[in-house]
């Protein structure tokens, strides 16, 4: 069971989060990614395109987990396709990661089409 507020707190306070996805043969792989929270909802994006193996795994399964030490936050993942949400997510990435030279790739071009809303599973 996931405590929604604990999951959102982890995603808000942590710069690089740990996302656990499963391979087709059931192995779990943990990948470090960025995440933001906008109006109480969490979002992630695929900044590296086809070289990111975690993205097709989460899209295929529709589920994943964030891992924070011993804590595990199971989530569902849904594609975001509306411009207003993408603009808000852009702003959140800019605010949280504006110090990083990698920010630009997270808020432009095709990366925006990979935005996923991740919702803690109760």
């Amino acid at each position: 069971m996931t405590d929604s507020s604990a999951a959102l707190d982890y995603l808000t306070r942590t710069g690089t989060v740990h996302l656990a996805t499963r391979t087709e043969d059931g192995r779990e792989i943990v990948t470090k990614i960025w995440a933001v929270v906008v109006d109480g909802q969490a979002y992630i994006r695929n900044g590296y395109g086809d070289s990111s193996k975690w993205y097709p795994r989460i899209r295929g399964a529709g589920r994943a987990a964030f891992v924070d030490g011993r804590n595990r936050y199971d989530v569902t993942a849904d594609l975001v396709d509306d411009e207003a949400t993408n603009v808000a997510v852009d702003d959140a990435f800019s605010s949280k990661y504006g110090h990083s030279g990698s920010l630009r790739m997270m808020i432009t071009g095709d990366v925006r089409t990979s935005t996923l809303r991740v919702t803690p599973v109760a």
Side-chain angles (χ1 to χ4, degrees), residues 8-20:
L8 292 175
D9 178 62
Y10 167 66
L11 298 174
T12 299
R13 69 178 159 74
T14 307
T16 302
V17 300
H18 295 89
L19 177 72

Side-chain angles (χ1 to χ4, degrees), residues 1-82:
M1 181 177 283
T2 296
D3 177 351
S4 294
S5 62
L8 292 175
D9 178 62
Y10 167 66
L11 298 174
T12 299
R13 69 178 159 74
T14 307
T16 302
V17 300
H18 295 89
L19 177 72
T21 55
R22 294 211 174 267
T23 62
E24 288 182 14
D25 65 5
R27 290 178 298 124
E28 183 174 87
I29 297 178
V30 177
T31 307
K32 295 176 183 178
I33 66 167
W34 288 355
V36 295
V37 175
V38 176
D39 295 330
Q41 183 61 62
Y43 298 91
I44 58 177
R45 284 182 173 161
N46 176 15
Y48 290 98
D50 293 340
S51 67
S52 294
K53 296 191 167 117
W54 68 265
Y55 190 78
R57 289 193 299 262
I58 194 173
R59 290 283 291 138
R63 304 179 71 86
F66 290 100
V67 180
D68 178 21
R70 291 187 198 173
N71 297 315
R72 182 180 187 87
Y73 308 110
D74 295 318
V75 295
T76 59
D78 299 294
L79 191 62
V80 172
D81 61 3
D82 69 276

